[in-house]
Amino acid sequence: MRDRFWKMLGVAGITLAVTTQAQAAWQFVPGDSEITAHVSGQGQRGPMERTYHVSDLQGTIDDDGRFEMPLRLEQTDLLGKQSGLGGLLSGLSSDSAMVTLSTKVNPAWLSNLQPGDSTTRNVTLTASGNHFERSEQVPLTLERLDQQYYHLTLAEPISVDTQQLMKLDNAQTVLSLLGYQRLDNSIPIEFNARLIER
């Protein structure tokens, strides 16, 4: 009976340890985290160039370094960018992510930094949606601001392939509502985020 008790306690301890590992070790501060996209293309009256933002990022990095960040239409400023557009696009919005960004980082890259220090590392960033998945190497700069906060940014802007982008659900509809007939081949993307250690 006593042996069985200790075995059960050991299993519970292992389960607790595994569960703890899956929890977020670092979490984005939504109000200080956004993606900026510079969109160029052709409209009915000629070339168009506008800047859009994806705000309130909800990313996390767990103890094993798994990074995941879902992006939803509601997080973009498309809903209020032009008069009357919000009402049209709101019918396309949903609770599901348009695209999810994921990667793997070494937790030591963050935990070993001293306040004021930074490091730049190449990571494989994967963007996945209902009809596509694409991965590429991106330079990620990690800076420790103080004992609790970190700053994440791309060391240089990355470019999104617009052919892949158009595979997203409702992409053609949103493009037309924004006034674009077609987009240039790529969209420069910038990323800035603040992390808090949990």
Side-chain angles (χ1 to χ4, degrees):
M1 176 83 63
R2 182 175 298 176
D3 289 342
R4 185 179 177 187
F5 170 78
W6 287 113
K7 286 179 182 178
M8 290 176 62
L9 189 61
V11 170
I14 292 172
T15 302
L16 179 61
V18 170
T19 303
T20 301
Q21 288 178 357
Q23 293 179 348
W26 295 273
Q27 188 169 5
F28 281 40
V29 179
D32 295 323
S33 304
E34 72 172 11
I35 293 172
T36 304
H38 305 282
V39 183
S40 300
Q42 290 293 320
Q44 292 182 348
R45 299 181 179 178
M48 294 175 57
E49 183 173 350
R50 293 178 182 155
T51 299
Y52 297 95
H53 302 88
V54 183
S55 305
D56 297 323
L57 302 181
Q58 305 289 326
T60 59
I61 300 175
D62 68 16
D63 286 323
D64 293 325
R66 287 187 295 265
F67 164 90
E68 187 171 284
M69 183 173 63
L71 303 177
R72 296 176 173 82
L73 182 60
E74 291 84 351
Q75 293 174 267
T76 71
D77 56 5
L78 298 177
L79 299 180
K81 196 69 178 181
Q82 296 180 4
S83 177
L85 192 57
L88 293 170
L89 289 180
S90 62
L92 303 177
S93 62
S94 67
D95 291 334
S96 60
M98 295 187 302
V99 62
T100 298
L101 303 180
S102 59
T103 191
K104 185 76 181 287
V105 302
N106 185 340
W109 295 347
L110 291 163
S111 58
N112 289 347
L113 285 176
Q114 298 300 313
D117 290 345
S118 65
T119 183
T120 298
R121 307 282 183 161
N122 287 324
V123 299
T124 301
L125 183 66
T126 299
S128 56
N130 288 338
H131 305 296
F132 79 97
E133 180 173 299
R134 176 172 175 158
S135 299
E136 66 176 282
Q137 289 279 322
V138 300
L140 188 66
T141 297
L142 314 167
E143 179 186 6
R144 187 163 194 167
L145 302 175
D146 54 31
Q147 291 298 327
Q148 194 174 22
Y149 288 96
Y150 297 79
H151 180 233
L152 269 66
T153 186
L154 294 172
E156 57 190 46
I158 61 173
S159 294
V160 172
D161 186 337
T162 55
Q163 291 184 353
Q164 294 289 327
L165 183 66
M166 295 311 295
K167 294 181 181 179
L168 289 171
D169 290 342
N170 302 313
Q172 188 62 55
T173 301
V174 173
L175 182 69
S176 298
L177 290 173
L178 291 173
Y180 290 94
Q181 294 183 330
R182 66 177 177 84
L183 298 177
D184 290 351
N185 292 333
S186 62
I187 299 175
I189 299 289
E190 298 172 4
F191 166 71
N192 279 284
R194 182 184 291 259
L195 279 178
I196 183 171
E197 188 170 6
R198 308 307 296 175

